[in-house]
Amino acid sequence: MEVAANCSLRVKRPLLDPRFEGYKLSLEPLPCYQLELDAAVAEVKLRDDQYTLEHMHAFGMYNYLHCDSWYQDSVYYVDNLGRVMNLTVMLDTALGKPREVFRLPTDLTAYDSRLCASIHFTSSTWVTLSDGTGRLYLIGTGERGNSASEKWEIMFNEELGNPFIIIHSVLLLNAEEHSVTTLLLRIEKEALDMKGSGFYVSLEWVTIRKNKDNNKYEIIKRDILRGKSVPHYAAIEPDGKGLMIVSYKSFTFVHVGQDLEENKNENMSEKIKDTFIYFIFWSKNPNPDKEKPPCNAQELEECDIFFEESSSLCRFDGSTLKTTHVVNLGSNQYLFSVIVDPKEMPCFCLRHDVDALLWQPHSSKQDDMWEHIATFNALGYVQASKRDKKFFACAPNYSYAALCECLRRVFIYRQPTPMSTVLYNRKEGRQVGQVAKQQVASLETNDPILGFQATNERLFVLTTKNLFLIKVNTEN
């Protein structure tokens, strides 16, 4: 029996700044533009039977705004008329209304138990789309950067069972063979085992290939992974040969058609862990009368307490369906993911001490699979103090990170830049040559924020009725 390799993440010391002095609040106004939507966003609220922490993670905090990483500054959302709407920014001062690029064939209002519609931009000419009812669409779009050649056309669609959301997808081109592989997430009711919440998380890895005989697309492979927590991060490798997952609880492959019950005799510590999570989620603090923890909980700031202290990063092989690499992330809290290069896997950002470090997976490098590519100074600590945070993102060129609250406020944290005038640090008796700015934007709306995306030039913020653009890079 092969054992997965225990790996670690190698921090690049030159990317750390031990002398970072914090962010300086800048009162410079940021240009903000507001567009009114023709129809409201197709928001799907949690039902009474979707009461678990996992439902909240997967669907309650869903990002309804989708960024096309192949064509920056182009965002999409689905409205309650079933239309996929696009806004592509050429010039901030000449913004047009969002335009319809596709309309879902199904009447979404006819489904009581649907999930939110989800989109993933598979390549520069392909999109995977779910309407939230359990149907998967594979769509050829033409070159999306050119409106003259852009035409969204359904190339494949099939009912795949219970409703799901799309997590990731990849286009595979091998020896004239054209296929798309995609990752779908469901939260399913536990049929036989009612321990814990009574639900489990299912990840279905589906591969669709073009049949050379009839030129039709068909499913050639369906593999299912099962776990007990919604993954923070899950992505397919560019060659389709593997899968990487960051999650609190481990995932394992199960075969289609096989009884999905596993770990029936789960040990008591796992049961206690389940209960402990829900206890923390509804109540403020541990019982002070219990045995004293290694450190005094009273001395911790609330932002230092993590719910998930032992997340892991796992790499699965697509052919053997076995775990090949494991990284125990310990207290390196997951923060967000971002696509830096659409041809590569998404990057993920983790808290390391007070900083936030960005990691780029390289599936082809077996000995050095995760590269530390950028650092956001002190941001691990700063973001933890924001109690009302909903979305977290950064620019693909790492020039800034941004945090969005549930209502109205957006915080922007820029990388340090050289100063035009020299400051003097009296405490350390030295000159300060650069400064990192923090900026705050307050949106003119009382509607909750439903979507948030960052590009190198601007931030996009979506509410039920409006789309806001915040110009972050004002030098161009």
Side-chain angles (χ1 to χ4, degrees), residues 58-82:
F59 313 132
M61 302 291 280
Y62 187 75
N63 193 339
Y64 285 84
L65 190 61
H66 309 276
C67 188
D68 186 349
S69 55
W70 303 87
Y71 300 97
Q72 263 212 34
D73 292 302
S74 185
V75 293
Y76 295 76
Y77 65 92
V78 179
D79 69 17
N80 59 14
L81 300 178

Side-chain angles (χ1 to χ4, degrees), residues 335-405:
L335 300 177
F336 63 90
S337 63
V338 60
I339 297 175
V340 167
D341 179 352
K343 295 184 181 68
E344 295 279 352
M345 298 178 75
C347 301
F348 53 87
C349 191
L350 303 175
R351 177 175 176 174
H352 286 249
D353 194 16
V354 297
D355 295 332
L357 272 55
L358 195 63
W359 299 89
Q360 173 68 68
H362 297 293
S363 57
S364 57
K365 299 180 181 177
Q366 291 293 312
D367 297 329
D368 194 13
M369 208 169 267
W370 300 282
E371 181 188 3
H372 173 202
I373 58 171
T375 299
F376 297 101
N377 296 299
L379 206 59
Y381 180 78
V382 170
Q383 64 81 30
S385 65
K386 306 292 184 191
R387 296 185 183 184
D388 296 325
K389 65 176 178 287
K390 186 170 186 182
F391 298 118
F392 204 170
C394 76
N397 64 3
Y398 342 126
S399 57
Y400 70 91
L403 185 148
C404 171
E405 294 188 333

Side-chain angles (χ1 to χ4, degrees), residues 271-388:
K271 293 184 180 180
I272 292 171
K273 197 183 289 183
D274 279 348
T275 310
F276 185 61
I277 291 169
Y278 289 96
F279 172 74
I280 289 181
F281 184 65
W282 302 110
S283 61
K284 274 285 184 183
N285 276 317
N287 186 342
D289 297 328
K290 295 286 183 185
E291 186 179 346
K292 277 196 170 183
C295 60
N296 186 353
Q298 309 295 332
E299 294 175 357
L300 287 175
E301 294 187 42
E302 192 165 347
C303 63
D304 285 319
I305 300 173
F306 301 144
F307 293 143
E308 304 174 358
E309 296 178 350
S310 56
S311 292
S312 61
L313 164 61
C314 296
R315 191 260 175 188
F316 295 88
D317 184 88
S319 54
T320 65
L321 307 185
K322 301 289 186 185
T323 309
T324 61
H325 299 72
V326 177
V327 179
N328 182 356
L329 298 179
S331 60
N332 296 132
Q333 179 193 18
Y334 172 87
L335 300 177
F336 63 90
S337 63
V338 60
I339 297 175
V340 167
D341 179 352
K343 295 184 181 68
E344 295 279 352
M345 298 178 75
C347 301
F348 53 87
C349 191
L350 303 175
R351 177 175 176 174
H352 286 249
D353 194 16
V354 297
D355 295 332
L357 272 55
L358 195 63
W359 299 89
Q360 173 68 68
H362 297 293
S363 57
S364 57
K365 299 180 181 177
Q366 291 293 312
D367 297 329
D368 194 13
M369 208 169 267
W370 300 282
E371 181 188 3
H372 173 202
I373 58 171
T375 299
F376 297 101
N377 296 299
L379 206 59
Y381 180 78
V382 170
Q383 64 81 30
S385 65
K386 306 292 184 191
R387 296 185 183 184
D388 296 325

